[in-house]
């Protein structure tokens, strides 16, 4: 409102100054013009300060909104079941790392321009009507053309922005997969063959960006032509009537100075719309991720007591302290899914799951996680040192004993810097068997009363498997609640009870 008021007022004051200088020789004395010139300068300074403050507030608000949305997307992503997260991880990464940045243009350029247009355009048209109603009629006839073309351009732009975000997600995912596979390609002497593929991805990204820029330039050109045409019509009308003495110079100059201000806000909205559309498309993708994520658990019941008993309705089993329960069955029947449900990472496949008699949906999941240690099919390893990965989920009281139990001490002896040896994402630098041993050492060294293992002896040789299974059985004998997912005979042999998801529980 302040920008609109100072814009209109400065145009009126400037028109008055110029008209007085041209029509009244006596007013050309600088002393006579000091007051109106000072007022004009004050209006310009006030407008500049208002624009600066608007930009400052817009930047601050944009940063806050982008940070809040990014946090919501990350929270929603981490609340997804592991399989759903694996499927939508790339979408979430694109939205957080690149997509939401486009929202900054929406808040700093498009939204302020939209508000200015909503206030300045009708106010300016009204002021023009006060000074020269014929110019106001010309403006009102030409003005609707800009919103009409903005709508047509916007429809094409929205579709293009959605396509560009999809293309960017696909291209970035493919490029990341290719980069992740470079060590393997290099080991096989095929790294040079990826050059052409990278060039193809780069060309596809460039074509997508150029197509987007083409629409932006064409839309700006159309809006500029329409705005220029509207101002030209006003100028011709005013000029003809000034020649024939049908209007005063002050009224004519006021109409001429204000005419561009009628079209300028709409032109600015149209120019900013395309850039803002990318951010709005990313926001819609963010909302899709947030809305489709499962509701976070609202339970607040803690898991009490030193011993923990897990009861599952389907398949019917009770996992008690001091015993090893082995969950087996054909591949794909849902063993890992059930394990994730017990962890509180996903919905319960069927029936109910109770922890010490409390339904898992009523538990405080974060407090429940502090009571257990879990080995997934692929141990979670992050870039850093081996020691940092061993204590990724909390300190290990007796690290040496944990490494011996998992046979990871043999791996440490062969590493160049022992615990300080650095590994890459997913354990790059270690073999599959070494990664498995690291994950086992992390779980076996945890003081948690509940231990959950998903295929714990995968990628292990026979002697190592025997030692690891013996260590798991020892933890159960010391009072831990142990649940193991497996199908190999040595794994089944350590079970106090074996539950076949394709059949019934078989006590051992």
């Amino acid at each position: 409102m302040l920008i609109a008021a100072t814009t209109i007022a400065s145009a009126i004051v400037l028109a008055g100054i110029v008209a007085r200088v041209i029509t009244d020789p006596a007013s050309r004395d600088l002393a006579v013009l000091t007051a109106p010139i000072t007022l004009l300068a004050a209006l310009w300074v006030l407008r500049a300060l208002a624009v600066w403050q608007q930009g400052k507030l817009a930047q601050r608000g944009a940063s806050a909104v982008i940070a809040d949305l990014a946090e919501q997307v990350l929270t929603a992503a981490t609340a997804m079941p592991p399989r759903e997260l694996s499927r939508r991880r790339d979408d979430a990464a694109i939205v957080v790392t690149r997509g939401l940045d486009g929202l900054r243009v929406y808040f700093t350029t498009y939204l302020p321009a939209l508000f200015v247009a909503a206030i300045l355009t009708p106010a300016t048209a009204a002021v023009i009507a006060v000074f020269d109603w014929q110019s106001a009629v010309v403006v009102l006839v030409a003005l609707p053309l800009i919103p009409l073309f903005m709508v047509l351009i916007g429809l094409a732009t929205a579709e293009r922005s959605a396509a560009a975000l999809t293309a960017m997600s696909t291209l970035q995912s493919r490029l990341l997969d290719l980069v992740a596979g470079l060590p393997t390609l290099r080991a096989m002497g095929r790294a040079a063959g990826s050059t052409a593929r990278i060039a193809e991805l780069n060309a596809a990204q460039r074509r997508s960006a150029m197509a987007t820029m083409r629409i932006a330039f064409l839309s700006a050109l159309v809006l500029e032509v329409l705005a220029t045409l509207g101002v030209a019509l006003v100028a011709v009308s005013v000029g003809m009537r000034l020649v024939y003495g049908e209007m005063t110079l002050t009224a004519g100059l006021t109409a001429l100075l204000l005419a561009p201000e009628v079209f300028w806000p709409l032109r600015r909205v149209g120019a900013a719309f395309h850039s803002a559309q990318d951010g709005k498309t990313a926001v819609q993708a963010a909302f899709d991720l947030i809305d489709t994520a499962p509701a976070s658990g609202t339970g607040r019941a803690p898991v009490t007591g030193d011993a923990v008993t897990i009861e599952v309705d389907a398949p019917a089993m009770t996992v008690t302290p001091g015993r090893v329960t082995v969950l087996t069955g054909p591949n794909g029947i849902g063993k890992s899914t059930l394990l994730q449900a017990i962890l509180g990472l996903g919905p319960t496949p069927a029936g109910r799951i109770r922890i010490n008699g409390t339904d898992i949906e009523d538990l405080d999941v974060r407090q429940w996680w502090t009571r257990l240690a879990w080995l997934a099919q692929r141990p979670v390893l992050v870039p850093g040192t081996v020691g940092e990965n061993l204590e990724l989920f909390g300190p290990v009281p007796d690290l040496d004993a944990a490494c011996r139990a998992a046979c990871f001490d043999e791996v440490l002896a062969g590493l160049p810097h022992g615990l300080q040896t650095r590994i890459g994402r997913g354990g790059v630098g270690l073999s599959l068997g070494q990664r498995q041993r690291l994950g086992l050492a992390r779980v076996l060294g945890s003081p948690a009363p509940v231990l959950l293992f998903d295929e714990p002896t995968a990628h292990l040789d026979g002697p190592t498997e025997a030692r690891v299974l013996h260590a798991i059985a020892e933890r159960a004998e010391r009072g831990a609640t142990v649940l193991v997912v497996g199908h190999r005979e040595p794994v089944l042999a350590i079970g106090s009870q074996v539950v076949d998801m394709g059949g019934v529980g078989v006590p051992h």
Side-chain angles (χ1 to χ4, degrees):
M1 293 180 68
L2 186 59
I3 291 172
T6 53
T7 299
I8 295 173
S10 60
I12 295 173
V13 173
L14 180 59
I17 293 173
V18 175
R20 288 176 62 182
V21 169
I22 293 175
T23 60
D24 185 7
S27 64
R28 296 173 187 172
D29 187 359
L30 185 60
V32 177
L33 296 176
T34 300
I37 290 176
T38 302
L39 176 59
L40 180 62
L43 290 170
W44 283 346
V45 170
L46 184 58
R47 179 180 178 180
L49 290 174
V51 172
W52 172 77
Q53 182 65 16
Q54 183 188 65
K56 180 181 177 181
L57 293 174
Q59 287 287 354
R60 186 182 303 168
S63 298
V65 171
I66 291 172
D68 181 66
L69 275 175
E71 181 181 0
Q72 290 188 50
V73 171
L74 290 173
T75 301
T78 53
M80 292 179 180
R83 290 185 180 179
E84 179 70 11
L85 175 59
S86 178
R87 186 176 68 85
R88 307 197 65 178
R89 178 175 53 197
D90 291 340
D91 294 339
I94 292 294
V95 168
V96 171
T97 58
R98 296 186 62 181
L100 289 178
D101 284 342
L103 194 60
R104 188 173 300 278
V105 180
Y106 176 84
F107 281 103
T108 59
T109 305
Y110 175 73
L111 201 59
L114 189 63
F115 275 98
V116 169
I119 298 171
L120 181 57
T121 296
T124 306
V127 173
I128 291 176
V130 172
F131 284 88
D132 179 25
W133 67 269
Q134 295 184 42
S135 295
V137 171
V138 174
V139 166
L140 293 177
V141 170
L143 191 61
L145 294 176
I146 293 183
L148 176 62
F149 278 89
M150 283 174 58
V151 170
L152 296 177
I153 294 170
L155 294 175
T157 304
E159 182 178 350
R160 182 64 211 171
S161 295
L165 183 63
T166 302
M168 182 174 64
S169 301
T170 303
L171 292 173
Q172 182 163 325
S173 298
R174 290 180 179 177
L175 185 60
L176 289 176
D177 290 341
L178 185 58
V179 171
L182 280 177
T184 304
L185 294 173
R186 185 177 180 184
M188 298 176 65
R190 300 290 299 276
S194 61
T195 305
R197 183 56 180 160
I198 292 176
E200 291 177 7
L201 293 174
N202 182 47
Q205 180 72 31
R206 184 172 61 252
R207 287 193 298 270
S208 176
M210 292 304 295
T212 301
M213 292 178 65
R214 189 184 306 116
I215 294 178
F217 286 132
L218 289 176
S219 63
L221 175 62
V222 171
L223 295 176
E224 287 291 342
V225 169
L226 290 174
T228 302
L229 179 61
V231 175
L233 290 174
V234 173
V236 170
S237 172
V238 169
M240 293 298 294
R241 282 180 288 129
L242 283 174
V243 168
Y244 290 104
E246 297 177 1
M247 67 185 308
T248 64
L249 182 59
T250 301
L253 288 175
T254 302
L256 282 174
L257 290 174
L258 287 177
E261 304 298 342
V262 176
F263 297 98
W264 170 76
L266 291 178
R267 192 168 69 245
R268 186 175 172 222
V269 169
F273 178 82
H274 172 75
S275 299
Q277 192 64 32
D278 291 342
K280 291 176 66 178
T281 302
V283 167
Q284 186 57 52
F287 285 156
D288 290 341
L289 286 166
I290 294 170
D291 293 340
T292 56
S296 58
T298 57
R300 290 294 179 265
V303 179
T304 58
D306 296 332
V308 177
T309 299
I310 304 171
E311 299 172 84
V312 180
D313 287 348
M317 67 175 181
T318 301
V319 186
T320 56
R323 307 176 68 194
V324 176
T325 299
V326 179
L327 185 63
T328 188
N331 289 334
I333 200 170
K335 302 185 296 295
S336 297
T337 302
L338 178 59
L339 201 62
Q340 291 166 7
I342 293 174
L343 286 160
L345 294 176
T348 305
R352 298 172 60 194
I353 297 175
R354 292 174 294 278
I355 310 299
N356 281 356
T358 302
D359 196 296
I360 195 165
E361 294 183 356
D362 299 328
L363 285 181
D364 181 343
V365 175
R366 294 189 178 278
Q367 192 268 346
W368 166 227
W369 289 342
T370 64
R371 306 297 305 279
L372 57 84
W374 172 43
L375 177 68
Q377 287 183 346
R378 295 182 179 180
V380 176
L381 302 175
V382 299
T385 66
V386 170
E388 289 170 346
N389 275 276
L390 282 169
E391 298 190 336
L392 183 63
F393 303 130
V396 178
D398 192 343
L399 193 57
D400 291 337
C403 291
R404 285 194 302 271
C407 300
F408 192 63
D409 54 342
E410 302 171 0
V411 178
L412 284 176
L415 294 178
H417 303 291
L419 290 173
Q420 299 305 313
T421 302
R422 302 194 69 84
I423 60 176
R425 179 176 178 265
V428 173
L430 300 177
S431 69
L432 291 178
Q434 291 171 337
R435 298 175 197 180
Q436 190 74 8
R437 295 187 195 188
L438 192 158
L440 282 164
R442 189 163 56 196
V443 175
L444 291 172
S446 170
V450 179
L451 305 182
L452 306 177
F453 299 89
D454 196 347
E455 302 287 356
T457 59
H459 314 298
L460 301 183
D461 56 35
T464 303
E465 179 183 40
R467 287 178 58 184
V468 167
L469 292 176
H470 177 70
I472 292 174
E474 279 191 341
R475 282 299 303 271
E477 291 173 0
R478 295 202 298 267
T481 302
V482 179
L483 176 60
V484 180
V485 171
H487 61 277
R488 290 170 49 81
E489 280 300 326
V491 178
L492 300 178
I494 68 167
S496 304
Q497 67 168 340
V498 177
V499 178
D500 188 348
M501 289 192 67
V504 296
V506 181
H508 278 227

